[in-house]
Amino acid sequence: MYTTMTRAWVDIDLGALSRNGATLAARAGVPLLAMVKADAYGLGAVPVARALEPLAPWGYGVATVGEGVALRDAGITHPIVVFTPLLDGELRAVRGAALRPLLSRAEDIRAWRSVGGGPWHLGVDTGMSRAGVRWDVMDSVIDEVRASPPEGACTHLHSAERDDRSAARQEGRFGDAIARLPARPPLLHAENSAAIARRARSHWDLVRPGVFLYGVGSGAGAAVEPEPVVRLAARVVDVRAVAAGETVSYAATFTAAGARRVATLAIGYADGYVRALGNRGRVIVNGRVAPVVGVVTMDMTMIDVTDVPCAIGDTATLVGTSGGVALSVEDVARDAGMSPYELLTGLRGRLAHVYHGAAGA
């Protein structure tokens, strides 16, 4: 919760997030299996799931058993699929929380049946080479699929944001793999945010939006763009004069060419404002853009406000829009040489999360 003592925080527009989900659901024409893994990409899985509930999603996707249990403890009753391969010792916990495992090895399917079983999804690897039964060795699971038919089956598109036909190639492999099963599972899913944003209707039964929900677009070629969801802000806690020739921060990577005015923000890489933004990042203060100077430190970041009106207690916007000036998640990630996914999932720890626009916080 935000207070006047809050040093740095993330504003999260749940109304925009819900509208992003509605945009993709309308475009896909099939229900959402909304990805809320990694604590909803760092924004809070429980409030995000509650904000999406009015859209009547089919269910939610998580990466760990603990993430699924946390949603159940919060009263989320929709199906929850755990997408990371599970260890034998986790299957009873999955069953106890009424989660759906994603399975792809014959021995895992047998183990699931041995703990009581229940709905499960078959993972098919069509080119990601990360997890799932390979599309060309489906015989390895046919007997177990016949004994325990899956509720659903899925694959993961590795480059849906590119117009290189790799998605079509993977979906062709997926279709071939499904055709080799004893029966078609009722729920097939493959499309992520980028795939949904690039086609008019889904090819399958469910879609799995992730980063689009959280305000990150799918690049050139996308037919729809999301509303911004995140604003990262921090207080100015110091303003000082720096003379020509003096340096700022560790390793003295910034040397003032002339007299400068430098402000200190109460945010650093321990809050997710990464060290790589040193001497590269930009922030917004009172409607003006100020560059980051020197190395971003664990708890503080320095900016050059020589030409920017700025005083102790002012608010700086590090991601988002302020005073008509915008720094998108993609902008800041590009400045840092990282992906928008990395940036979002890093905004955790000490940062207060302040929710707006919908019930659920």
Side-chain angles (χ1 to χ4, degrees), residues 239-243 258-263 293 303-312:
V239 180
R240 65 184 53 234
V242 175
R260 311 306 294 171
R261 190 163 172 258
V262 173
V293 292
I303 59 174
D304 187 336
V305 293
T306 305
D307 301 316
V308 177
C310 177
I312 292 174

Side-chain angles (χ1 to χ4, degrees), residues 27-284:
R27 186 167 183 79
V30 298
L32 303 181
L33 199 178
M35 299 305 294
V36 295
K37 61 183 180 176
D39 200 27
Y41 292 43
L43 304 188
V46 170
V48 163
R50 288 175 177 164
L52 293 173
E53 287 285 279
L55 301 181
W58 176 84
Y60 299 100
V62 298
T64 70
V65 179
E67 290 176 345
V69 170
L71 289 174
R72 288 284 184 248
D73 289 345
I76 300 299
T77 59
H78 282 89
I80 298 171
V81 180
V82 183
F83 279 86
T84 302
L86 297 164
L87 300 173
D88 286 348
E90 297 179 292
L91 291 176
R92 289 191 184 278
V94 169
R95 166 104 174 134
L99 309 178
R100 269 89 162 157
L102 188 69
L103 306 174
S104 58
R105 299 186 304 172
E107 55 266 40
D108 293 338
I109 301 169
R110 285 194 296 272
W112 177 239
R113 193 162 62 245
S114 74
V115 299
W120 65 282
H121 290 224
L122 175 69
V124 180
D125 175 20
T126 58
M128 184 73 170
S129 299
R130 182 176 66 174
V133 58
R134 281 181 58 99
W135 81 95
D136 53 358
V137 293
M138 296 299 291
D139 287 350
S140 66
V141 297
I142 293 296
D143 290 345
E144 296 305 325
V145 166
R146 185 176 289 109
S148 303
E151 172 187 53
C154 66
T155 195
H156 189 91
L157 305 179
H158 58 67
S159 302
E161 72 283 358
R162 300 179 183 174
D163 296 320
D164 60 2
R165 295 204 49 79
S166 64
R169 185 162 53 251
Q170 284 190 263
E171 288 179 298
R173 291 172 173 177
F174 184 47
D176 291 344
I178 296 304
R180 298 185 64 187
L181 297 177
R184 181 194 190 278
L187 299 172
L188 302 181
H189 44 105
E191 295 144 312
N192 56 11
S193 292
I196 303 164
R198 278 171 159 68
R199 58 179 52 154
R201 304 290 283 181
S202 173
H203 294 179
W204 310 103
D205 305 299
L206 301 171
V207 289
R208 301 196 309 267
V211 76
F212 188 101
L213 297 174
Y214 309 112
V216 176
S218 302
V224 290
E225 289 295 324
E227 294 183 35
V229 172
V230 171
R231 174 176 176 255
L232 175 63
R235 295 286 192 184
V236 174
V237 293
D238 189 272
V239 180
R240 65 184 53 234
V242 175
E246 293 185 338
T247 62
V248 176
S249 196
Y250 293 120
T253 61
F254 176 86
T255 301
R260 311 306 294 171
R261 190 163 172 258
V262 173
T264 300
L265 307 180
I267 189 170
Y269 60 76
D271 305 291
Y273 195 71
V274 297
R275 191 178 174 90
L277 287 164
N279 296 309
R280 296 174 66 181
R282 300 162 288 158
V283 309
I284 306 164

